[in-house]
């Protein structure tokens, strides 16, 4: 089970891993906590009045298409996008949005889905949300609370029979090492790199997230599915953007994995790992 804040997050964070496990016969569910209602249109080709007028339903259609491409099951948790506040000082978040509702409300909703789906592995964001969007941070808080509460018969007794997942991972996307490898490969091929400015702005005192990674899942055979799922979110993803600047064959050669950090485990597994089900397979196999 992968728990994400907004539609499109599942396709930019761990999508190839999910597609691989689906192909291998695992049941995979994406839970999207909000409808993404506050998202901007980030693809110029979709920046039209009729798109803005029907943003809610369009994002639902996009999510359905992405889930179909990846082969995953999908659930909406039903909360309202908090938006990304801007300004100094930051304005308050809207009343009733996901990041402001009492923690027990989304926790119970996620517990209900966990007890029904009964995942062995849960994927979510780290304590910083991957980046400090209020919905991403709240997704982390809800996921970790639900991991414990789903197994506790005294918590939310009306939300189904208790279920204990075995592992929780934080998904990690953009590492400096990965982007540097792609940047240098493009320059060596005589091509312009869209990552030059990004790397120039990188704080040299900021550690690379790779220092926290425990698990690298080989999934390069599913990069095309990942990119197709990303493009399905047409309001959010410009198909001419740097997301797609590095040829797939270059990505497969230089960085054929997706990265995770093992945050909690109730089974024996030795890091570093190359499989999210390490230690779980032995537990559930007959």
């Amino acid at each position: 089970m992968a728990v994400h804040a907004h539609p499109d997050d599942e396709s930019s964070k761990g999508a190839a891993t999910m597609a691989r496990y689906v192909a291998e016969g695992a049941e995979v569910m994406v839970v999207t906590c909000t409808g993404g209602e506050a998202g901007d249109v980030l693809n110029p080709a979709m920046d039209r009045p009729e798109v803005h007028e029907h943003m809610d339903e369009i994002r639902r259609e996009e999510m359905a298409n992405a889930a179909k491409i990846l082969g995953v099951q999908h659930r909406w948790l039903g909360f309202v996008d908090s938006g990304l506040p801007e300004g100094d000082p930051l304005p308050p978040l809207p009343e009733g949005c996901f990041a402001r509702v009492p923690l027990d409300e989304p926790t119970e909703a996620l517990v209900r889905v966990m007890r029904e789906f009964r995942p062995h592995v849960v994927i979510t964001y780290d304590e910083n949300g991957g980046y400090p969007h209020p919905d991403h941070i709240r997704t982390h808080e809800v996921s970790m609370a639900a991991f414990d509460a789903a197994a506790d018969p005294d918590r939310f007794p009306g939300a189904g029979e208790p279920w204990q997942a075995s592992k929780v991972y934080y998904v990690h996307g953009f590492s400096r090492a990965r982007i540097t490898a792609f940047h240098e490969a493009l320059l060596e091929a005589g091509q312009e790199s869209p990552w030059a400015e990004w790397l120039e702005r990188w704080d040299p005192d900021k550690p690379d997230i790779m220092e926290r990674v425990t698990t690298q899942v080989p999934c390069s055979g599913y990069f095309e599915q990942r990119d197709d799922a990303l493009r399905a979110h047409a309001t959010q993803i410009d198909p001419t953007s740097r997301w797609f600047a590095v040829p797939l064959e270059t990505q497969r050669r230089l960085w054929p994995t997706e990265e995770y950090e093992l945050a909690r485990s109730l089974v024996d597994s030795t890091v570093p790992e190359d499989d999210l089900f390490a230690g779980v397979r032995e537990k559930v196999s007959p």
Side-chain angles (χ1 to χ4, degrees), residues 10 19 24 40 43 52 57-58 63 71-72 137 156 170 176 180 183 187 204 208 234 271 276 286:
E10 84 296 328
E24 292 178 356
D40 296 323
N43 179 1
H52 290 273
E57 59 192 82
I58 289 173
M63 183 64 240
V72 301
I137 294 171
F156 314 116
Y170 301 152
R176 184 173 186 177
T180 299
H183 169 74
L187 295 182
D208 192 340
V271 297
L276 299 183

Side-chain angles (χ1 to χ4, degrees), residues 33-34 79-82 96-101 106 135 138-139 142:
C33 294
T34 80
F79 293 88
V80 176
D81 190 343
S82 305
C97 69
F98 179 50
R100 289 192 64 178
V101 297
D135 285 340
R138 177 44 63 99
T139 297
V142 171

Side-chain angles (χ1 to χ4, degrees), residues 187-222:
L187 295 182
E188 289 172 8
Q191 301 175 31
E192 184 178 352
S193 169
W195 304 107
E197 184 179 351
W198 192 89
L199 289 169
E200 287 172 6
R201 294 199 309 264
W202 184 279
D203 181 354
D205 296 324
K206 180 181 178 182
D208 192 340
I209 201 66
M210 285 302 295
E211 296 179 14
R212 295 179 55 172
V213 166
T214 62
T215 311
Q216 293 186 270
V217 178
C219 51
S220 61
Y222 302 91

Side-chain angles (χ1 to χ4, degrees), residues 20 31 66 83 124 142 145 224 227 269 282:
R20 171 195 152 173
V31 177
T124 189
V142 171
E224 189 167 1
D227 287 359
S269 56
E282 296 82 359

Side-chain angles (χ1 to χ4, degrees), residues 36-262:
E37 302 90 346
D40 296 323
V41 175
L42 303 178
N43 179 1
M46 294 290 287
D47 194 3
R48 306 189 302 270
E50 64 271 22
V51 172
H52 290 273
E53 290 170 10
H54 301 284
M55 192 70 163
D56 292 6
E57 59 192 82
I58 289 173
R59 295 208 72 180
R60 285 184 170 271
E61 291 172 5
E62 291 173 346
M63 183 64 240
N65 291 336
K68 184 176 180 180
I69 289 166
L70 296 174
V72 301
Q73 302 176 48
H74 179 254
R75 292 288 182 85
W76 297 100
L77 212 58
F79 293 88
V80 176
D81 190 343
S82 305
L84 183 59
E86 296 180 348
D88 187 12
L90 292 173
L93 295 172
E95 288 286 344
C97 69
F98 179 50
R100 289 192 64 178
V101 297
L103 182 61
D104 269 3
E105 290 185 29
T107 299
E108 180 175 8
L110 184 55
V111 164
R112 189 177 299 275
V113 180
M114 282 186 174
R115 288 176 176 173
E116 178 185 338
F117 183 65
R118 300 166 72 85
H120 292 97
V121 174
V122 176
I123 299 168
T124 189
Y125 312 135
D126 68 9
E127 65 280 357
N128 299 310
Y131 78 106
H133 189 298
D135 285 340
H136 283 242
I137 294 171
R138 177 44 63 99
T139 297
H140 162 80
E141 295 168 347
V142 171
S143 299
M144 300 308 288
F147 177 82
D148 291 325
D152 186 346
D154 295 326
R155 297 292 307 280
F156 314 116
E161 291 297 315
W163 172 255
Q164 178 66 73
S166 297
K167 300 171 93 172
V168 179
Y169 286 93
Y170 301 152
V171 60
H172 289 307
F174 285 102
S175 73
R176 184 173 186 177
R178 178 172 177 265
I179 297 305
T180 299
F182 292 162
H183 169 74
E184 292 176 351
L186 289 171
L187 295 182
E188 289 172 8
Q191 301 175 31
E192 184 178 352
S193 169
W195 304 107
E197 184 179 351
W198 192 89
L199 289 169
E200 287 172 6
R201 294 199 309 264
W202 184 279
D203 181 354
D205 296 324
K206 180 181 178 182
D208 192 340
I209 201 66
M210 285 302 295
E211 296 179 14
R212 295 179 55 172
V213 166
T214 62
T215 311
Q216 293 186 270
V217 178
C219 51
S220 61
Y222 302 91
F223 284 175
E224 189 167 1
Q225 267 179 275
R226 173 203 64 192
D227 287 359
D228 287 345
L230 264 176
R231 283 187 283 262
H233 292 283
T235 60
Q236 305 302 300
I237 303 296
D238 181 352
T240 66
S241 68
R242 62 187 178 188
W243 284 104
F244 309 105
V246 183
L248 289 181
E249 58 270 22
T250 302
Q251 294 185 46
R252 291 182 175 119
R253 174 171 56 86
L254 294 178
W255 207 281
T257 60
E258 290 180 334
E259 280 64 53
Y260 301 87
E261 176 185 351
L262 181 59

